[in-house]
Amino acid sequence: MTDARIPVRSRPAIQARGEDTRRRILETALDLFAAHGYEGASTRQIAEGAGVNLPAIQYYFGNKEGLYRAIIEGIAADTDRHMASLAPRVRAALDAPDTPREELAALLCEMLETFVVLVTSGTQIESRRLIFARAEIEETPGLDVLHENGMRQIFNPCLGLLSRLHGKPATDQEMAVRTLALIGQVVIFCNNHKQPVLAGSGLDAESVRLMKVVVREHTDAICRAAVATSAK
Amino acid sequence: MTDARIPVRSRPAIQARGEDTRRRILETALDLFAAHGYEGASTRQIAEGAGVNLPAIQYYFGNKEGLYRAIIEGIAADTDRHMASLAPRVRAALDAPDTPREELAALLCEMLETFVVLVTSGTQIESRRLIFARAEIEETPGLDVLHENGMRQIFNPCLGLLSRLHGKPATDQEMAVRTLALIGQVVIFCNNHKQPVLAGSGLDAESVRLMKVVVREHTDAICRAAVATSAK
DNA sequence: GACATAGTATATCAGTCGATATAGTCGTCG
DNA sequence: CGACGACTATATCGACTGATATACTATGTC
């Protein structure tokens, strides 16, 4: 309704003091939203955790929803940045009519491996994973943005590659199901917030290495089977 | 704290009237908890949706947490029932030291296919899937029960089968990662609450058939690769 | 040094939450 | 019939929510 009075950066000078508290609010809010959900995390908790007073949230982000959207947009932007180098290569391979199947399969493997890196590295990755997982089940402001972003950056490229491997149109429902199953191998690693099956609480380097190896091997095996089937 | 005054069924007779409202509360609460989460769904919404008054929830389930636990336990019990026929066969195959690899692979495929059926059939399956997905990211009363149930019924059997296929101990972290990736293929179908990639909103018979076929083919391809690697 | 602006702090609003005290209705059995 | 227990309805409690009005401090410009 009101476009709020989000501070205009007319004075490009010293107000970096506010920039710092703004960042602190975002970090605290990310952790709390991830842990308790949009409705479960209160603005008072966030303000206290960030060491600021309550109206600061209103001051910097308009309202609770604005704060949430700011977090979502940050994650979406990071995803774009992370996929920036791979996306054009996939697009080029899909645009060319005669890309060999080995290259398509290799790109699909690389795609999923890059996805693994996305959900296992970066700052506050534990909370980002949870936000990412929530995007699939919760219906909160801005999460549709994140969902749409994942579709564009992850799902659609994988769908395109896999469809070409099978020699079927990407509009086939079967292709969507196959793509979802493929991606699910990685997405599940977003969920294990306290999974006892993975040593310790956080993801150590060894776990990440294993995840990449496993996802690559699985995807490779699935691609081989796909090519063998579509060739016969 | 208080063991509440949950009605004793001393009179086995006519109070089936209350049994009906109890069921209605459970059904409404399942939908609302699935849609808005434990903290997001209010007891007032639930009572209104079920067509009962607010204290009815306290009367039948002690408090909000009791209502939630009742739902979780119902889902866990259904899972047990659904896996009842397959579990002993898997156990027998794992106990026998000389079970052929083809049979282990076949059991693993059947395991995952049964899992697909579990998350795609039954009453209020849409909401049950969301509750299932929430169990992995939310930290609410009783969800540890559901999580432990999934570990026992799904994860551990798959881990055992896959470890034998690879000829490695089930305690290897690599085996846990491989099992998670396998299961993730199915779990992701719990998330697509409004996925545009699957036609329509609900899951039609065709989608379910495709999911079973795809999961079986993928698992089969992964098993072949596993056997080939461990044999060399 | 005075003024404007960025940013912070206190106090409080109305609304909603889960829970419960209290009173009432209904069928069943002695 | 009349009392008892299963069940339902009204009203309200204290706590907490998001939001905001208001006043304050600090900083840079003129």
Side-chain angles (χ1 to χ4, degrees):
Chain A
M1 199 162 292
T2 73
D3 55 344
R5 51 177 183 292
I6 291 175
V8 265
R9 304 271 167 236
S10 55
R11 301 282 192 283
I14 308 287
Q15 65 258 45
R17 175 170 93 263
E19 205 61 40
D20 198 63
T21 69
R22 186 188 151 93
R23 182 187 48 76
R24 223 165 49 235
I25 293 175
L26 277 173
E27 289 175 2
T28 309
L30 172 58
D31 286 340
L32 287 174
F33 279 138
H36 306 119
Y38 177 70
E39 310 197 66
S42 75
T43 55
R44 281 176 173 82
Q45 282 180 313
I46 295 169
E48 186 183 4
V52 302
N53 43 68
L54 193 50
I57 293 175
Q58 162 98 1
Y59 181 77
Y60 284 102
F61 303 98
N63 52 21
K64 186 183 185 180
E65 182 176 330
L67 171 55
Y68 199 75
R69 287 190 185 274
I71 291 174
I72 297 296
E73 284 162 16
I75 294 180
D78 278 355
T79 305
D80 285 355
R81 215 171 304 127
H82 193 265
M83 291 290 165
S85 61
L86 190 49
R89 290 171 52 206
V90 171
R91 204 159 20 214
L94 288 177
D95 283 344
D98 56 350
T99 307
R101 285 183 158 163
E102 293 75 23
E103 193 181 328
L104 293 171
L107 273 174
L108 186 53
C109 288
E110 199 175 339
M111 191 89 210
L112 290 173
E113 209 170 315
T114 306
F115 190 22
V116 170
V117 176
L118 174 65
V119 301
T120 54
S121 60
T123 62
Q124 294 182 289
I125 189 59
E126 206 80 24
S127 295
R128 298 166 87 94
R129 276 213 309 275
L130 283 174
I131 293 279
F132 204 84
R134 277 185 197 279
E136 299 298 319
I137 60 174
E138 258 179 7
E139 207 143 359
T140 51
L143 275 183
D144 51 344
V145 172
L146 191 57
H147 188 264
E148 191 272 339
N149 193 266
M151 289 289 290
R152 195 181 69 252
Q153 296 284 348
I154 314 281
F155 181 85
N156 283 338
C158 288
L159 175 66
L161 291 170
L162 197 63
S163 300
R164 282 282 288 273
L165 275 172
H166 275 85
K168 295 188 180 179
T171 52
D172 262 25
Q173 196 176 3
E174 179 193 339
M175 287 302 109
V177 172
R178 296 197 110 96
T179 307
L180 273 181
L182 259 186
I183 293 178
Q185 294 184 104
V186 183
V187 172
I188 197 172
F189 293 119
C190 297
N191 294 353
N192 59 333
H193 61 126
K194 259 189 172 179
Q195 205 97 7
V197 302
L198 294 182
S201 57
L203 287 188
D204 52 2
E206 172 63 7
S207 296
V208 175
R209 191 189 66 79
L210 279 174
M211 283 163 57
K212 288 199 281 189
V213 169
V214 166
V215 168
R216 176 173 282 275
E217 281 185 19
H218 282 195
T219 307
D220 194 58
I222 290 168
C223 286
R224 282 178 205 281
V227 171
T229 305
S230 81
K232 91 176 166 206
Chain B
M1 200 159 294
T2 75
D3 54 345
R5 54 176 180 291
I6 293 174
V8 266
R9 304 274 168 233
S10 55
R11 301 282 190 284
I14 307 291
Q15 66 256 45
R17 176 170 91 261
E19 204 62 40
D20 199 65
T21 69
R22 185 187 152 94
R23 183 186 48 76
R24 224 168 45 236
I25 293 176
L26 277 173
E27 288 175 2
T28 309
L30 172 57
D31 286 339
L32 288 174
F33 279 137
H36 306 119
Y38 176 69
E39 310 196 65
S42 74
T43 55
R44 281 176 173 81
Q45 283 179 314
I46 295 170
E48 186 184 4
V52 301
N53 43 68
L54 193 52
I57 292 174
Q58 162 98 0
Y59 181 77
Y60 283 102
F61 303 98
N63 53 22
K64 187 183 186 181
E65 182 176 330
L67 171 57
Y68 200 75
R69 287 188 186 274
I71 291 174
I72 297 297
E73 284 163 15
I75 294 179
D78 278 356
T79 305
D80 285 356
R81 214 172 304 125
H82 193 266
M83 291 292 165
S85 61
L86 191 49
R89 289 171 53 204
V90 172
R91 203 159 20 210
L94 289 178
D95 284 343
D98 56 350
T99 306
R101 283 183 160 162
E102 294 75 23
E103 192 180 327
L104 292 172
L107 272 174
L108 187 53
C109 288
E110 200 175 337
M111 192 90 210
L112 289 173
E113 207 171 316
T114 306
F115 190 21
V116 170
V117 176
L118 175 65
V119 301
T120 53
S121 60
T123 61
Q124 294 182 289
I125 189 59
E126 207 81 22
S127 295
R128 298 166 87 93
R129 277 213 308 276
L130 283 174
I131 292 279
F132 204 84
R134 276 185 196 280
E136 300 298 319
I137 60 174
E138 259 179 6
E139 207 144 0
T140 51
L143 274 182
D144 50 346
V145 173
L146 191 58
H147 188 264
E148 190 273 340
N149 194 266
M151 290 289 290
R152 196 181 68 252
Q153 295 283 348
I154 313 283
F155 182 84
N156 284 337
C158 289
L159 175 64
L161 290 170
L162 197 63
S163 300
R164 282 282 288 273
L165 274 171
H166 275 86
K168 295 188 180 179
T171 52
D172 261 25
Q173 195 175 3
E174 180 193 339
M175 287 302 109
V177 172
R178 296 197 110 96
T179 307
L180 273 180
L182 259 186
I183 293 178
Q185 294 184 104
V186 183
V187 172
I188 197 172
F189 293 118
C190 296
N191 294 354
N192 58 333
H193 62 124
K194 258 188 172 179
Q195 205 96 9
V197 302
L198 294 181
S201 57
L203 286 187
D204 53 0
E206 174 64 6
S207 295
V208 175
R209 190 188 67 79
L210 279 173
M211 284 163 57
K212 288 199 280 189
V213 170
V214 166
V215 168
R216 175 172 283 273
E217 282 184 20
H218 283 195
T219 307
D220 194 57
I222 290 168
C223 286
R224 280 178 207 280
V227 172
T229 304
S230 80
K232 92 177 167 207

